Structure formats: C-alpha cells, structure tokens
C-alpha cells in the first residue's frame, strides 16, 4: 500500500476533476463558484495547492490576479493548459510547508481541499506560512469536504493526533492510504479564531467554505 500523499495526487492528476462532475455536486459547485467570484472580485489572490486549476478558473473571472501554487509539477502542467481570464494568472511550484515570507504580499488567499490533508499537529505552521503572505485585512478562503455518509470514502484508521485516513484506489488498481480530516465547524472556528476577523463558515452539501479577513 502506498502512503505518500504528494505522489498520490501526482498519480491521480488525470482523473482528479471527475469528482467535480458527480451529479450530486453540481448544484453546490455552481453556488461555491458564485461565492468565490463575489468574494475575490478585484483582488490579487495567492492560491495554494491549486491542483489542476478547477477553482482557479472560476476565480479568474473576477479577481485581478492569481498566483497559483502546488507541489506537483504535473498538476501545474495540467492547470496551465486551461483558459483563464480576465485575471492575470501565473503558476509556481511551492510546498505549503515552505512558505517563507517574501516581499510580495496578496490581499486574497485561497486553498481548496488542502486543509483535510494537513496533519492536525502541523496546521498552525501551515496557517502562519500562508498568512505571512497576506496583507493585514486581506480576504482568505479555505474550503474542504464535509463527511457525508454514503458519498464520502469511509475512514479506515486514525493516529495519535486524531488525524483520520482513507484507503483510496486509483484507476490503475494501485491502493493508497491518504490522510483526510473532516473538521467540524467548531474545530474550524477554533483553529482560525486567533487569526480571523469576520469569520463566516458556510456548509454546502459536500463542502464547507470558511471566509475571513486576516486580523489587522
Ligand atoms: C485534493 S487536491 C486539491 C486540488 C485543488 N485545490 C482543488 O480543490 O481542486 C490537493 C492538492 O494539494 C497538493 N499538495 C499536496 N501536498 C502539498 C504540499 N505539501 N504543498 C503544496 N501542494 C500540495 C496536491 O498536489 C494536490 O494538487
């Protein structure tokens, strides 16, 4: 069984967006796209773990610019093939655990379906890195999946930090153990309480979306 999550997403890149065409998700995806285009209107957005650029494409309709990053070259290569606009969109390889402060700051920050893959014991480190690149008062949106019985892959195991793991199979038959945490709204609020102003957490059918401003 394979357990390297970064390689898992590299291997899954070609099939990844099929999750967004599942009929039970179409309505909420339209609603979330609309939320993202409203919230990021006119902003310069840093997107982490952008994957194949599914949400990047939506945000590019109204944002001023998007600097989209991911650790895997092949997902970035796929994202680059999409059409974006009118925002200026650029891509870069970057590890979310290596986000040293740079001179360039953004007034928008975004990460979809990465929270669930961050070990709970490392979450604060990730958040500090992300927020080090966002201007005070900047808008940040983190979103991820809700565990839905009958839709979500069941939890196979957990560890001493209460991280939970699923066993996933790819189309080539390979099996992977993947960390996938499903924080409750209470946990989301508590993990963001020190850094967030105006925090709103919205629940859709299979996604939650947290919108906040970085504390000034
Ligand atoms: C579940 S996918 C989400 C992709 C995209 N954000 C979306 O919602 O469609 C997780 C992504 O995180 C990336 N990733 C995993 N570990 C990472 C890390 N340490 N730094 C940056 N990206 C990472 C993977 O390559 C993958 O593209």
């Amino acid at each position: 069984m394979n357990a390297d999550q970064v390689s898992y997403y590299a291997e899954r890149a070609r099939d990844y967006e099929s999750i967004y065409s599942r009929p039970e998700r179409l309505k909420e995806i339209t609603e979330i796209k609309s939320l993202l285009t409203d919230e990021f209107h006119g902003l310069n957005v840093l997107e982490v773990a952008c994957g194949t650029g599914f949400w990047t494409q939506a945000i590019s309709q109204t944002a001023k610019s998007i600097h989209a990053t991911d650790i895997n070259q092949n997902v970035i290569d796929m994202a680059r093939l999409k059409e974006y606009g009118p925002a200026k969109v650029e891509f870069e390889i970057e590890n979310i655990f290596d986000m040293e402060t740079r001179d360039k700051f953004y007034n928008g920050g975004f990460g979809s379906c990465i929270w669930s893959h961050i070990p709970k014991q490392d979450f604060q480190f990730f958040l500090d890195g992300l927020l080090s690149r966002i201007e005070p008062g900047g808008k940040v949106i983190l979103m991820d999946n809700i565990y839905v019985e009958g839709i979500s892959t069941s939890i196979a195991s957990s560890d001493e930090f209460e991280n939970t793991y699923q066993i996933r199979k790819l189309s080539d038959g390979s099996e992977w153990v993947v960390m996938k945490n499903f924080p409750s709204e209470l946990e989301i609020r508590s993990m963001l309480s020190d850094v967030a102003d105006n925090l709103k957490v919205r629940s859709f059918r299979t996604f939650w979306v947290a919108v906040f401003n970085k504390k000034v």
Side-chain angles (χ1 to χ4, degrees):
M1 191 97 64
N2 304 289
D4 173 2
Q5 174 180 278
V6 171
S7 307
Y8 167 76
Y9 278 107
E11 294 294 323
R12 194 182 158 198
R14 221 172 318 113
D15 296 338
Y16 183 73
E17 287 198 15
S18 60
I19 54 164
Y20 293 123
S21 46
R22 289 187 194 160
E24 73 272 13
R25 290 196 163 160
L26 295 181
K27 180 169 176 284
E28 63 177 338
I29 284 169
T30 306
E31 291 167 348
I32 294 169
K33 280 183 177 173
S34 160
L35 182 157
L36 295 176
T37 50
D38 285 352
E39 295 285 355
F40 283 134
H41 196 282
L43 300 188
N44 294 309
V45 179
L46 170 65
E47 178 181 2
V48 294
C50 65
T52 51
F54 181 83
W55 300 107
T56 320
Q57 207 172 28
I59 296 168
S60 74
Q61 299 309 313
T62 59
K64 189 170 175 194
S65 70
I66 307 174
H67 186 91
T69 66
D70 197 284
I71 201 167
N72 274 312
Q73 180 71 55
N74 70 331
V75 302
I76 295 266
D77 289 346
M78 289 180 68
R80 280 205 170 103
L81 295 175
K82 289 198 162 84
E83 286 191 9
Y84 299 93
K88 175 175 174 274
V89 179
E90 58 187 17
F91 293 94
E92 187 185 359
I93 301 289
E94 186 172 54
N95 186 340
I96 54 162
F97 296 116
D98 194 14
M99 296 183 61
E100 79 283 6
T101 306
R102 295 190 196 173
D103 288 343
K104 187 158 185 204
F105 297 99
Y106 302 83
N107 56 6
F110 178 61
S112 164
C113 295
I114 189 64
W115 180 314
S116 55
H117 298 300
I118 298 173
K120 292 185 180 194
Q121 63 276 23
D122 297 334
F123 185 80
Q124 193 60 48
F125 183 73
F126 155 74
L127 191 60
D128 290 346
L130 171 62
L131 293 181
S132 74
R133 308 268 290 276
I134 307 294
E135 291 171 359
K139 167 102 32 97
V140 181
I141 302 184
L142 296 172
M143 57 180 274
D144 217 303
N145 294 119
I146 296 169
Y147 186 86
V148 183
E149 205 63 56
I151 296 181
S152 310
T153 304
S154 56
I155 301 299
S157 62
S158 60
D159 65 19
E160 73 269 34
F161 299 102
E162 298 184 353
N163 297 301
T164 51
Y165 298 82
Q166 297 171 325
I167 295 174
R168 298 184 179 182
K169 208 169 184 168
L170 292 181
S171 51
D172 65 0
S174 60
E175 287 202 341
W176 298 76
V177 182
V178 178
M179 177 183 291
K180 181 80 179 173
N181 290 320
F182 294 92
S184 64
E185 180 170 341
L186 204 63
E187 275 177 89
I188 296 165
R189 289 187 173 280
S190 128
M191 289 168 94
L192 297 176
S193 64
D194 287 347
V195 299
D197 277 336
N198 310 314
L199 173 62
K200 291 171 282 180
V201 182
R202 283 190 60 187
S203 292
F204 294 83
R205 182 146 189 250
T206 66
F207 288 98
W208 55 263
V209 181
V211 183
F212 62 95
N213 296 100
K214 175 180 165 178
K215 273 198 171 145
V216 177

